[in-house]
Amino acid sequence: MFFRIGLVVGADRVQPDIRQECRFQPAGRVHYLCRWAFFMAGGNAMLTSHKAKIFLMDAFERFYDKSELSPNSIKTWRVHLRRWEKFMGAIDVRELTNDHLADFREKQIAAGYSGASIRSNWAHLRALLRFLSSPDIERNARAIGLIDLRPYMKPVRITHRVPRRVTQDQLSRVYAYFSRATSPKRLPFPPQDYWRALTVFIYFTGLRISDCSALRWSQVNLDEKLMEFTAQKTRKTSMIPLHPVLVDHLRIIHASGQRENVFMRAHSGNDYQPMRDACKAAGVENFTFHDLRRTGASEVARVASTDLASVFLQHHQTDVTSLHYLNQYEELREAIMAMRVPAGWSAGPISRDKTITREISERKLAIKTELDGGGAPIASEFAIDGSVVYHRGHRWRTSPRIITVFSALLKSTWNEPALLSDLMPAIQTNNHRQIEGALVSIRKRLRRWWGLNLLWNPVPSIDTPEGTGWTLYCPNQVKRGWL
C-alpha cells in the first residue's frame, strides 16, 4: 500500500521538490509516514511558499531534534552555525551546492582556523544537512526530505602535534608557586589548597575538566580510596582508584567546607588565571588541564600499557569484550599506584599543617604582646548622642545598629565581653554577619582615631563558655593621650 504525501501551495498544486512517496508496511518503515506528518505540522508555515527561505540556523531551531542535547552542546551547535553565517551569509538550504561548501572551506582556511576546528564545524553541518536530506538516499529514518541531495565538502588535512607532556620538575615548580594564588575567594579554604588539589586530581585520575566541575562528594569515598562516576562526554561509568597523595589533598578541601561539588564550575577563562600566573612565576611554559590529563595517561602507559591508558582516560569502548566482560579496576589501581609523584606533592599537605601551626603560634604570641602593652580604653572619653559618637574631638555619625553594638562594647570588659548571643537580640537580627559588619566598621574607625596600623585589633574576639564575645582594647600610649 502506498501513500503520497505533499505540501499544498496555493489552491491546486503541490510543491514538487518536497513531495515524498512512502511505503506503508505493517512490519516497518512506519516512521517515514510519522516523520512526514510531523514535518508537515511543524514546517508548513515556512515551506508552503516558493518565496520563503530557510537558513541553516532556522532549520536547526525549527526542525532538528534537540531533546537529547545538553545546553553546552546546543551552544556549540549555534557557534558553528553562526560561523557559517559569518562567512557565507544567508543562503537557502535548498540552494546549497558543493561550490558553496568549497568556498566556505577556503574562507575558513584563509581566516586561520585549524584543521580540527574546520572538521568539527563540518561534522555539525553535515549532521544537519543529513537530517534535511531525503530518507531513502541518506538511509536515515530521521531525515525529513527538505533537500534532495546533501552537498559535499572536501575534508581538511590535519597535522597532529606531539602531545604535550609536562615534566615532573615543571609540575613541582608550578605546585610550589600555587602558594601565591589569591582566587577564587568564594571558597571556604585558601585558594592554594584548591589549585593544588585540582592539579593533583587531574594528574592521578585523568578526568576532563568538565567532569571535575560536575563531580560531587557523594561520588568520592576517601576511606576506600575509590571514586565512581559517569563521564559526561562518553557516558561511560568508571571506577577509579585514588592515589594516597590525592586522598590527602582531597581531605584538606573536604574538611575546610561542606560543599556539594568537589570543585567549582568555571564561568569564564578568567577563572583559570591563577593557573597561568603560577606557570609564569615558575618559569614554565603555560600548560592546560588537558595537558595534565595527557601527562597522567602517559605515566599510566609508561608503567602499564597503552590499552590501560585508554581505560584511565575513560575513552569510549566499542568492542563487546571491553563493554560487557572486562573489569580492569585492579590493573588500573596498580598502574596508578606506580605513577611517579612529583617532588613536593607528598609533603604538600604536611607542610601546610606545619604552616598553619606556625601561624597560630605567631598569632598567639602577637596577641600576648598586645595584651602586655595595652588595656581597655577609658569609657568616659566616649559620648553617644543619638546616632553620633564623640571621642577626643572626633565625631562619627553612623547607623543605629552600629551604635547599639558600640554601646555594648563600651560596657564590656575582658572578663565580661559583649557576647554574640546578647548582641543579636539587641539589634533584632538572626544574622551574625550583621554583627560582624558592625564590628568591622568600629575597628576601622578606632584605628583611624588612634593612629593604629592593621596589626593592632582594637576589638579583639574572646572565646568564653557562653560563646564568642568582643571588647574594646587600645595601646597604653593611646590611653595616656598620645594620639
Side-chain angles (χ1 to χ4, degrees):
M1 179 167 54
F2 291 87
F3 291 90
R4 183 172 297 275
I5 301 176
L7 297 180
V8 178
V9 179
D12 58 352
R13 57 194 178 93
V14 178
Q15 186 172 330
D17 59 337
I18 59 173
R19 177 177 294 184
Q20 178 68 20
E21 192 175 82
C22 300
R23 180 184 298 271
F24 184 84
Q25 297 178 354
R29 301 190 68 176
V30 181
H31 43 268
Y32 284 175
L33 180 60
C34 297
R35 191 65 189 174
W36 271 103
F38 163 78
F39 176 63
M40 291 176 62
N44 191 44
M46 295 182 63
L47 302 181
T48 55
S49 174
H50 286 296
K51 297 180 180 180
K53 291 186 177 182
I54 305 175
F55 310 122
L56 284 177
M57 183 69 79
D58 298 333
F60 173 73
E61 299 292 351
R62 288 289 304 271
F63 307 122
Y64 198 79
D65 183 13
K66 298 182 282 294
S67 59
E68 296 184 0
L69 295 180
S70 67
N72 286 337
S73 297
I74 296 176
K75 181 189 292 186
T76 302
W77 267 93
R78 290 170 178 161
V79 168
H80 287 300
L81 293 175
R82 278 195 291 268
R83 186 193 298 184
W84 166 267
E85 294 177 344
K86 172 184 175 182
F87 288 107
M88 303 303 297
I91 301 178
D92 193 332
V93 294
R94 291 165 293 189
E95 299 175 359
L96 286 179
T97 63
N98 294 346
D99 294 336
H100 288 118
L101 291 176
D103 186 28
F104 179 54
R105 177 181 182 273
E106 296 302 324
K107 287 182 177 179
Q108 289 185 92
I109 295 175
Y113 286 96
S114 66
S117 177
I118 297 175
R119 280 198 177 187
S120 176
N121 183 274
W122 170 235
H124 287 78
L125 295 183
R126 181 177 56 201
L128 180 57
L129 292 173
R130 187 168 179 261
F131 172 77
L132 300 175
S133 301
S134 172
D136 289 330
I137 297 177
E138 290 290 342
R139 295 185 179 180
N140 177 16
R142 298 173 60 247
I144 61 177
L146 178 59
I147 57 179
D148 292 331
L149 188 63
R150 173 171 56 86
Y152 167 81
M153 188 178 82
K154 180 181 179 182
V156 179
R157 182 172 296 180
I158 298 178
T159 302
H160 295 280
R161 299 177 298 175
V162 177
R164 171 78 183 277
R165 182 172 182 175
V166 188
T167 65
Q168 298 290 300
D169 177 66
Q170 291 173 338
L171 290 174
S172 299
R173 288 154 58 187
V174 172
Y175 180 91
Y177 275 94
F178 276 137
S179 59
R180 303 183 180 183
T182 58
S183 63
K185 298 180 180 180
R186 56 183 179 272
L187 297 177
F189 43 81
Q192 63 181 18
D193 294 343
Y194 174 82
W195 290 108
R196 287 176 174 175
L198 181 58
T199 302
V200 175
F201 183 85
I202 296 179
Y203 175 77
F204 280 118
T205 63
L207 262 67
R208 301 173 180 86
I209 189 63
S210 59
D211 292 327
C212 294
S213 302
L215 187 67
R216 300 176 181 270
W217 283 114
S218 58
Q219 299 172 284
V220 181
N221 190 332
L222 296 178
D223 296 329
E224 298 292 335
K225 299 180 181 180
L226 175 66
M227 177 182 68
E228 182 174 356
F229 83 107
T230 301
Q232 293 185 336
K233 182 177 181 179
T234 61
R235 309 308 301 169
K236 178 183 178 182
T237 301
S238 304
M239 295 178 59
I240 298 182
L242 302 180
H243 196 281
V245 174
L246 172 58
V247 173
D248 293 340
H249 285 80
L250 291 179
R251 289 188 187 279
I252 292 176
I253 63 176
H254 185 250
S256 299
Q258 297 298 326
R259 304 174 66 249
E260 185 176 1
N261 286 62
V262 180
F263 300 103
M264 57 173 279
R265 183 177 298 276
H267 299 284
S268 66
N270 293 331
D271 290 341
Y272 297 132
Q273 186 60 39
M275 183 76 172
R276 294 187 284 268
D277 293 341
C279 291
K280 182 178 180 180
V284 176
E285 181 184 357
N286 184 46
F287 60 86
T288 64
F289 289 114
H290 215 71
D291 291 330
L292 283 176
R293 175 173 155 87
R294 297 185 181 100
T295 304
S298 300
E299 278 292 306
V300 172
R302 183 184 67 86
V303 300
S305 65
T306 305
D307 293 338
L308 200 59
S310 179
V311 176
F312 174 79
L313 293 171
Q314 306 94 41
H315 282 165
H316 183 64
Q317 306 292 333
T318 58
D319 58 293
V320 176
T321 304
S322 300
L323 285 175
H324 302 287
Y325 291 92
L326 291 184
N327 185 338
Q328 296 178 289
Y329 172 79
E330 289 297 329
E331 292 79 4
L332 184 59
R333 184 182 64 82
E334 294 173 359
I336 290 178
M337 297 306 165
M339 293 174 65
R340 291 178 295 179
V341 180
W345 284 23
S346 299
I350 300 175
S351 62
R352 175 187 180 276
D353 294 339
K354 291 182 178 179
T355 301
I356 293 177
T357 303
R358 183 177 66 253
E359 290 177 353
I360 293 175
S361 300
E362 292 175 353
R363 184 55 186 163
K364 288 182 178 179
L365 180 61
I367 293 176
K368 185 177 184 300
T369 303
E370 291 179 3
L371 295 178
D372 292 341
I378 301 174
S380 60
E381 294 184 347
F382 293 87
I384 298 178
D385 183 12
S387 60
V388 182
V389 180
Y390 298 94
H391 176 64
R392 293 186 181 181
H394 299 287
R395 180 175 179 274
W396 180 28
R397 181 180 295 275
T398 183
S399 65
R401 181 178 70 252
I402 295 179
I403 291 294
T404 303
V405 175
F406 206 124
S407 301
L409 292 174
L410 289 174
K411 299 176 184 178
S412 65
T413 63
W414 191 266
N415 294 325
E416 296 182 359
L419 298 176
L420 177 64
S421 57
D422 297 331
L423 293 177
M424 293 178 65
I427 65 173
Q428 299 179 357
T429 182
N430 293 324
N431 189 355
H432 65 90
R433 295 194 177 187
Q434 294 189 8
I435 303 294
E436 295 173 356
L439 294 173
V440 169
S441 300
I442 295 173
R443 289 190 185 101
K444 290 181 179 179
R445 183 62 58 169
L446 292 179
R447 287 192 183 107
R448 183 186 304 175
W449 284 350
W450 296 344
L452 305 176
N453 57 32
L454 295 177
L455 296 178
W456 188 278
N457 185 4
V459 189
S461 61
I462 304 170
D463 293 330
T464 67
E466 292 81 12
T468 303
W470 296 270
T471 188
L472 297 180
Y473 195 80
C474 66
N476 288 327
Q477 59 266 31
V478 173
K479 295 178 64 175
R480 291 193 293 268
W482 295 355
L483 291 175

